[in-house]
Amino acid sequence: MEDGSDGGLPRAPGVDADPDPLETREWVESLEYILEEKGPGRATWLLNRLEDRARRHGIDIPLGHTTPYCNTIPTRNQPARPGDREMERRIKSMVRWNALAMVVRANLESPGIGGHISTYASSATLYEVGFNHFFKGPEAPGGGDQVYFQGHASPGIYGRAFLEGRLTDKQLENFRRELGRGGGLSSYPHPWLMPEFWQFPTVSMGLGPMMSIFQARFNRYLRDRGLKDTDACRVWAFLGDGECDEPESLGCLTVAAREGLDNLTWVVNCNLQRLDGPVRGNGKIIQELEGIFRGAGWNVIKVVWSGQWDVLLEEDRSGLLLQRMMEVVDGQYQKYSVSPGSFVRQDFFGKYPELARLAERLSDEEIQRIKRGGHDPDKVYAAFWHAVRHKGQPTVILAKTIKGFGLGEYGEGQNVAHNQKSLGKDETQRRRAILLFRDRFGIALNDEEAVKLPFIRFQEDSPEFKYLKERRDALGGSLPRRRRRGPEFKAPAAEEFKEFLGATRDGAPMSTTMAFVRILNRLMGHKEIGKLVVPIVPDEGRTFGMEGLYARYGIYAALGQLYTPVDAGQLQYYKEARNGQVLQEGINEAGAMASFIAAGTAYSTHGVNTIPFYIYYSMFGFQRVGDLIWAAGDLRCRGFLVGGTAGRTTLNGEGLQHEDGHSHLMALNVPNCRAYDAAFGYELAVIIRDGMRVMYEQQEDVFYYLTVENENYDHPAMPDGAEEGIVRGIYRVRPGPGKKKVRAHLWGSGAILNCALKAQEILGERYGVSADVWSVTSYKALRQDAVEATRWNMLHPGEAPRKPWLTEIFEKEKGPVVAASDYVRAMPDLVAPFVPGGITSLGTDGFGRSDTREGLRRHFEVDAESIVLATLHSLARRGEVEAKVAAKAVGELGIDPEKPFSLLV
Ligand SMILES: Cc1ncc(C[n+]2csc(CCOP(=O)(O)OP(=O)(O)O)c2C)c(N)n1
Ligand SMILES: [Mg+2]
C-alpha cells in the first residue's frame, strides 16, 4: 500500500512490488469514494487520522514534502482562461522577436556587448500571462503590484514596453549602450540608470527574491500601522532555478511563511539550466524546490506539463506515465528538449511496453512538440489564478520550461544557451537561425526583411495594439514604471533639535550611540514626522540601548502578542504589537537590510515618506551585506544606516571579527551613500536633520551611513557656526593655546577625537606646540568635493580654478596636519593631496583583537601619545622643531620603537 497504485506492474528501481494488490485496490477505491462523495476536505481529514494512528503504533512513515511530478492543479480545477488566445499569442511572438533582435543587433554592432536571449525565451509565457491578466499597474486602485523581473529577462520586458509605445527604436538599438546617442537601455533592471522605468534591481542573484519577501512584509507593515492601505498590492518575484542555489534566495523563506504573506507570489522559471549547464543534472530541481518550499510553509504550485499531456495522463490507468516522469532526471529531460521525437519515444516511453503503447497514437513530430507546462498559457493562467486566491501562505509557482525556447539548434536546451547572443558562428548560420525563429513564431517579415532584424510594432489602429492597451488599461496601466518623487515633506526646524546642541551635563558622559537613540526618540515623538520613522534592528536593540523603544512604540508583529512577556509589568518590557513601529528582524542583517530598502524606497513604491533608521553592528554592514547596500544605492533608497559599536579600538573587547576599522572605506564605493563618522551628539543631530532635508525635502536620491560608538565621554556644546563644517566634513572643535610660535593641526573622528584633544594638551604643555583640533566628520564628503574641483580645473584650464574646500581652509593655516582615525590610514589619506603640505595619517590597519581601549590605541598607534609623536616628527621634518625633540619624545611618551606594526600581526 506504499503508493496506492494498482500494483503488479513493473517498478522503478527501489520501489518494492505490491505483495497484496487486491487489498491495495480496496484502500484506493475507498479513498476515491470519499473524494467523490465527501470531497477533498474529508479525504484529507481521514488521511491525517490514519497517519496519526500509524505514528502512534510507532510506524515510521517517511516525512514527504513532495508530490508526484505533475501539475499541482488538476485539469478539473483549471479555470477557463479569459481573453483572446490568438491575439495574446501574436503579441507574445512579437515581444519574443524584438527581444531577440535587440540582443543580436547589439552584438553585431559591438561584439561582446552581451545580453541574453535564452532566459526570456524560456519565460515569455510566464510574463505575458502576467501582463495580460494579473500584474496590476500603478493606476490600479490601491497603487498596483510590485514586480521583480528576472534580471536576465530584461530584453523581453523592453520588447513589451516597446510594443506598448513606451520605448523608442533608438533606445532598443542602444540596448546595453547607454551612452549612445538618443539614450540607451540598461543591461538589467537598474532604477539608478532608468529611474522612471525599473523599480527593483534583481540581477545580483538572490537579492531580488529576498527583497521581495521584505517588500511584501513591509506592505503589511504600512497597512497595519495605518500609513497606507496596501491590501490590493501583490508582490511578484520571478527567479531562475539556478538562482535558487544562492543562499539569499531561499534563506528567508520561513519569514514569508511565518508572516503569512499571501500577498507574495514567486514564479521560478525552471528551465533546468543555469549558465554552465544543468541545474540538477542528476536530480530534479522542481522536486527539490517543492520540498524546500513546502517544508518552509509555502503553498507550492507546480506547472510541469502542458495540456497536451493531459490526455495521456488520463489514459494512463497504470500510473506508469507518472512513474516514468518521476524516474527521468533533469539532465535527461534537457537531452529530450534537443532530441527528435523518435529518441524520446524510445528513451522515455520505450522503457515500459504500456507507455510505448500509449505513445503509439502520437507521431514522432507530435512527441517532439509536446510542451512543458511553463509554455502553456492555460496552465500558467491556472497557476497564477490559484496563487492570487490562496490565503494564509505565500505561493511559489514552479514552472517547467526550456531554456532558449524557440531558438532551435542555436540555443534551445543547449548548455551554451545562456550566453547565446549572436545566433550561430557566421552569417549563414545566423540567417538560418533567424528565419527558423521567424517561422516558428509566425512573424510577418519576408526573408530579406527578417535577416535585418528590424524592431517591429503593431500599428496603433491594429487589433493587437488595441488589445495590448486595453488589457493594460484594465489592469491599471503599464509596468514596470517608477515614481521619481516622494510626497512633499518638511524637515524639522533647527529649533526642534536645539536640545542636542548643548554640552552633556557634568558627570553624565554618554556615547554617540546614546546620543543617537535620544535623537531617534525625539524624532519618533515628532507630531508630523514621528509616525514615518521606521527603526530597524537585528537582534541588537539592547546592545544599542534601544529597549526603551520596544515598550513605547512596540515591535511590529503581524499576530500581535499572543503571550504574556516575562518582563510584563516592567517599564521596558518586550512588547509586540500589530501596529508596532520597530522592525526587530532577529539575527538577520540581510533581512533587516531588505526591510531598510523597502522602507527607504516607499516614497517611490507607495508614495509614503517612511524614514528608516537601521542600526546594526557596523562590522556586519558593508562587509556582511555589502551587495544589498549597493542595491540600495541602485534603488535610490533614502534613509539612515547606522553602524553601531563602530571603531576598531572603541569596540575593544570583541576582537577580530567585530571590530570595524574599514566600513567607511567600503562606504566610499557606494556613489550615493553619504558617510559620517561622528564624534559628538550635536554632530549627529546636525547631520540627521540635514539628511532629512536633503533626502525628503529636496528629494535627492542619497542615503546616509553614520557610525556611532559605545564609549562614554563628555560632549561639549557645539561651537558657533559649526553646522556647515559638520555637514561638509570638517570643522574646528578647539583651537590650540594662543601665543605659541609652533603650530600644528590634529584631526580626529569619532571617539578618537578625544585622543586628539588629549594630544593637544600634551603638545601645548610639554612641547610648546599650539595645535588646533578638528573633527573630520566625513572624509568621503571632503574627498568628493576636492575631486570634483580638481576635475573641473582640468577640463577648464583657461578659467579661474576652483578650490577644494579643504584646500581653501588649510592654505590659511600654519603647521602640519596629523590625522588619527579609528579606521584604516587609507581614510585620511584620501584627502592628503588636497591639503597644502600633505598630512600624516594614523589609523587602525590590521586585524582587531580584544584588549582595553588604551591598549588597543597604543597597539594601533592612534592614542594621544602616538598623535603627539607623529606631530613632533612632522614638525621636525619641516624644521619647525629640532630633530632631537622628536627623537627624545619617543622615550618620553613611553612608546616602544620596536613594537610590531599592527598591520602585520
Ligand atoms: C550573484 C550572482 N552570481 C552570478 C551571476 C552571473 N549569472 C548571471 S545569469 C546566471 C545563470 C542564471 O541561471 P538561472 O538562475 O537558472 O536563470 P535562467 O537564465 O536559466 O532563467 C549566472 C550565473 C549573477 N548575475 N549574480
Ligand atoms: Mg535556469
Side-chain angles (χ1 to χ4, degrees):
M1 73 176 223
E2 282 86 346
D3 64 358
S5 75
D6 284 351
L9 295 164
R11 303 266 137 191
V15 179
D16 295 334
D18 187 344
D20 191 346
L22 197 67
E23 191 178 45
T24 308
R25 191 165 301 149
E26 277 171 19
W27 280 77
V28 171
E29 277 170 8
S30 299
L31 176 69
E32 271 164 10
Y33 165 80
I34 296 289
L35 268 173
E36 202 129 298
E37 297 295 316
K38 313 263 171 80
R42 173 71 183 149
T44 310
W45 197 91
L46 283 174
L47 288 170
N48 283 341
R49 288 293 80 69
L50 282 176
E51 188 184 336
D52 282 353
R53 188 46 70 107
R55 287 199 192 283
R56 262 195 269 160
H57 283 284
I59 300 173
D60 184 19
I61 307 171
L63 275 178
H65 277 301
T66 55
T67 60
Y69 197 58
C70 63
N71 297 341
T72 306
I73 300 164
T75 323
R76 63 175 181 283
N77 291 348
Q78 211 172 295
R81 178 157 73 98
D84 183 332
R85 283 155 203 244
E86 251 320 290
M87 192 78 82
E88 290 183 16
R89 196 188 56 73
R90 287 200 296 278
I91 293 169
K92 181 167 66 183
S93 297
M94 202 74 118
V95 180
R96 284 182 186 281
W97 174 266
N98 286 323
L100 172 113
M102 195 181 319
V103 178
V104 177
R105 274 172 62 175
N107 282 278
L108 289 179
E109 188 81 11
S110 173
I113 200 102
H116 302 83
I117 307 174
S118 303
T119 301
Y120 182 73
S122 62
S123 53
T125 300
L126 306 177
Y127 286 117
E128 280 302 298
V129 167
F131 278 119
N132 284 321
H133 302 285
F134 291 93
F135 302 157
K136 284 191 249 90
E139 280 102 45
D145 293 347
Q146 287 84 52
V147 186
Y148 291 71
F149 296 97
Q150 206 186 339
H152 296 77
S154 63
I157 311 307
Y158 291 139
R160 177 168 243 272
F162 174 73
L163 287 191
E164 290 175 3
R166 302 169 59 213
L167 296 175
T168 62
D169 271 79
K170 196 80 206 154
Q171 285 174 299
L172 260 60
E173 205 177 302
N174 283 340
F175 169 59
R176 288 190 169 226
R177 288 231 318 271
E178 295 168 85
L179 305 175
R181 236 205 267 180
L185 298 175
S186 62
S187 49
Y188 302 116
H190 292 302
W192 186 260
L193 301 172
M194 295 177 65
E196 278 158 15
F197 192 85
W198 293 116
Q199 282 187 291
F200 308 108
T202 45
V203 84
S204 181
M205 305 207 140
L207 302 193
M210 185 166 181
M211 289 190 285
S212 75
I213 291 177
F214 287 86
Q215 180 66 54
R217 203 291 212 88
F218 191 72
N219 287 0
R220 289 279 163 83
Y221 172 93
L222 286 177
R223 179 197 67 187
D224 292 344
R225 291 205 44 238
L227 292 171
K228 185 181 176 185
D229 180 358
T230 54
D231 273 344
C233 307
R234 172 162 299 279
V235 178
W236 300 82
F238 287 78
L239 294 66
D241 47 359
E243 183 174 9
C244 292
D245 283 344
E246 289 287 1
E248 291 89 344
S249 300
L250 306 184
C252 290
L253 291 187
T254 52
V255 174
R258 200 183 316 131
E259 302 272 333
L261 299 180
D262 53 19
N263 57 343
L264 177 66
T265 306
W266 278 15
V267 182
V268 186
N269 173 18
C270 297
N271 55 25
L272 315 187
Q273 287 177 245
R274 43 180 164 74
L275 193 152
D276 280 345
V279 178
R280 292 289 181 277
N282 294 322
K284 276 189 159 56
I285 187 64
I286 291 182
Q287 295 302 95
E288 185 178 322
L289 290 176
E290 178 184 35
I292 293 169
F293 278 92
R294 266 186 205 283
W298 285 52
N299 175 43
V300 179
I301 300 179
K302 295 195 291 190
V303 186
V304 188
W305 308 112
S306 71
Q308 293 155 315
W309 287 92
D310 286 342
V311 188
L312 293 177
L313 281 162
E314 259 161 46
E315 280 183 16
D316 171 41
R317 303 304 304 162
S318 64
L320 272 176
L321 180 54
L322 210 54
Q323 183 184 318
R324 184 71 188 130
M325 286 168 163
M326 190 59 207
E327 284 166 7
V328 173
V329 293
D330 283 358
Q332 199 66 6
Y333 277 116
Q334 188 189 347
K335 170 84 180 142
Y336 294 157
S337 72
V338 301
S339 304
S342 54
F343 178 81
V344 181
R345 181 188 299 285
Q346 185 203 337
D347 196 85
F348 181 81
F349 293 102
K351 176 88 188 279
Y352 305 118
E354 285 87 342
L355 287 191
R357 265 200 302 283
L358 199 66
E360 271 167 15
R361 53 206 287 273
L362 302 170
S363 69
D364 285 354
E365 206 169 48
E366 281 170 325
I367 290 182
Q368 195 184 11
R369 276 212 241 108
I370 301 184
K371 287 198 207 112
R372 295 181 182 175
H375 296 299
D376 180 340
D378 292 335
K379 298 290 182 195
V380 173
Y381 180 85
F384 282 26
W385 190 92
H386 280 278
V388 301
R389 281 163 180 77
H390 187 80
K391 293 277 172 252
Q393 288 174 299
T395 293
V396 62
I397 294 166
L398 303 172
K400 183 165 169 166
T401 62
I402 290 181
K403 191 141 180 170
F405 184 74
L407 296 181
E409 62 199 276
Y410 301 106
E412 183 162 320
Q414 303 289 339
N415 276 340
V416 296
H418 189 79
N419 287 332
Q420 180 58 270
K421 40 192 121 288
S422 49
L423 295 180
K425 290 193 184 64
D426 55 31
E427 192 51 46
T428 322
Q429 286 191 349
R430 185 172 315 118
R431 205 181 151 87
R432 201 175 116 75
I434 293 170
L435 298 182
L436 279 171
F437 190 84
R438 175 204 61 183
D439 295 343
R440 177 145 186 188
F441 296 108
I443 305 295
L445 290 172
N446 67 33
D447 289 8
E448 283 328 296
E449 285 167 345
V451 294
K452 289 191 205 128
L453 290 166
F455 301 127
I456 41 180
R457 292 185 214 260
F458 297 110
Q459 300 292 327
E460 295 219 349
D461 55 359
S462 66
E464 288 87 352
F465 185 78
K466 285 188 189 140
Y467 186 84
L468 197 73
K469 277 292 209 200
E470 217 174 85
R471 290 310 309 145
R472 286 315 316 160
D473 288 348
L475 288 162
S478 293
L479 81 172
R481 203 158 13 131
R482 185 179 175 281
R483 170 184 3 217
R484 288 197 79 152
R485 287 179 67 84
E488 293 298 308
F489 181 89
K490 190 91 200 81
E495 270 300 298
E496 300 180 63
F497 268 46
K498 220 167 143 196
E499 69 186 273
F500 303 111
L501 307 184
T504 40
R505 279 178 293 110
D506 270 351
M510 67 172 178
S511 64
T512 42
T513 306
M514 283 160 76
F516 165 72
V517 174
R518 282 182 196 179
I519 296 168
L520 184 64
N521 252 305
R522 181 62 208 272
L523 274 177
M524 292 180 79
H526 193 281
K527 62 181 186 310
E528 279 106 39
I529 296 170
K531 61 179 184 302
L532 297 172
V533 173
V534 183
I536 305 169
V537 279
D539 195 28
E540 294 289 351
R542 289 180 203 280
T543 311
F544 305 125
M546 292 171 73
E547 57 272 37
L549 293 183
Y550 293 165
R552 186 143 173 224
Y553 297 100
I555 293 165
Y556 174 69
L559 297 176
Q561 192 154 34
L562 307 176
Y563 61 97
T564 311
V566 281
D567 46 7
Q570 289 174 26
L571 202 58
Q572 301 195 337
Y573 75 105
Y574 197 82
K575 173 175 155 192
E576 300 198 61
R578 179 126 193 247
N579 64 353
Q581 191 161 355
V582 181
L583 288 175
Q584 156 57 268
E585 301 293 13
I587 311 169
N588 183 352
E589 280 81 5
M593 192 57 213
S595 277
F596 175 81
I597 288 171
T601 52
Y603 72 93
S604 164
T605 317
H606 288 296
V608 181
N609 272 327
T610 37
I611 310 170
F613 285 84
Y614 168 32
I615 181 161
Y616 54 89
Y617 243 110
S618 81
M619 194 65 151
F620 304 130
F622 280 88
Q623 169 147 310
R624 173 94 189 202
V625 294
D627 205 16
L628 277 162
I629 300 180
W630 183 256
D634 188 352
L635 274 150
R636 297 172 173 267
C637 181
R638 300 172 183 171
F640 296 90
L641 287 179
V642 185
T645 52
R648 186 155 283 150
T649 67
T650 307
L651 175 64
N652 57 316
E654 291 288 327
L656 184 152
Q657 184 62 66
H658 288 67
E659 292 165 0
D660 165 36
H662 53 276
S663 64
H664 274 288
L665 209 51
M666 296 160 107
L668 181 78
N669 302 317
V670 182
N672 53 347
C673 172
R674 298 201 176 166
Y676 289 92
D677 186 6
F680 298 124
Y682 64 77
E683 293 179 4
L684 282 171
V686 168
I687 296 162
I688 289 173
R689 197 181 77 80
D690 192 61
M692 285 191 286
R693 187 185 59 79
V694 168
M695 294 186 286
Y696 293 92
E697 200 172 301
Q698 294 185 348
Q699 309 249 2
E700 281 186 46
D701 293 337
V702 295
F703 63 105
Y704 282 65
Y705 176 52
L706 318 174
T707 41
V708 296
E709 298 172 330
N710 64 352
E711 182 176 357
N712 291 329
Y713 47 82
D714 295 325
H715 295 223
M718 184 175 80
D720 278 345
E723 285 100 332
E724 185 192 1
I726 293 173
V727 171
R728 295 184 73 176
I730 190 167
Y731 70 99
R732 197 178 339 236
V733 176
R734 196 165 78 187
K739 297 208 183 103
K740 291 202 164 60
K741 225 170 63 238
V742 184
R743 298 195 50 86
H745 299 275
L746 310 182
W747 293 0
S749 315
I752 295 299
L753 189 69
N754 295 311
C755 301
L757 287 166
K758 191 169 160 211
Q760 179 188 48
E761 285 165 19
I762 303 175
L763 281 166
E765 287 163 14
R766 291 166 59 183
Y767 296 97
V769 177
S770 169
D772 290 1
V773 172
W774 303 71
S775 174
V776 182
T777 50
S778 179
Y779 282 107
K780 182 172 182 181
L782 292 176
R783 179 175 167 85
Q784 192 167 320
D785 166 81
V787 168
E788 246 179 89
T790 316
R791 174 183 171 275
W792 191 90
N793 294 343
M794 185 178 75
L795 294 169
H796 304 85
E799 297 176 47
R802 292 182 181 171
K803 207 170 273 177
W805 194 60
L806 196 58
T807 314
E808 201 178 305
I809 299 172
F810 280 88
E811 67 185 10
K812 293 190 208 112
E813 302 290 342
K814 274 177 43 197
V817 172
V818 172
S821 172
D822 223 356
Y823 288 81
V824 290
R825 285 173 175 78
M827 280 312 294
D829 285 346
L830 289 169
V831 301
F834 313 108
V835 178
I839 66 172
T840 301
S841 301
L842 301 175
T844 56
D845 301 64
F847 283 121
R849 61 195 56 207
S850 36
D851 209 304
T852 60
R853 288 194 180 114
E854 298 70 39
L856 290 178
R857 286 171 186 167
R858 175 57 57 91
H859 170 76
F860 285 105
E861 295 155 29
V862 294
D863 59 350
E865 288 76 11
S866 301
I867 297 173
V868 170
L869 182 63
T871 311
L872 294 173
H873 177 70
S874 279
L875 285 164
R877 265 197 346 225
R878 295 157 67 111
E880 293 171 25
V881 300
E882 286 183 49
K884 63 174 192 247
V885 174
K888 251 176 73 189
V890 180
E892 286 167 1
L893 295 164
I895 295 172
D896 170 10
E898 304 311 324
K899 71 191 273 296
F901 178 24
S902 62
L903 181 63
L904 308 173
V905 291

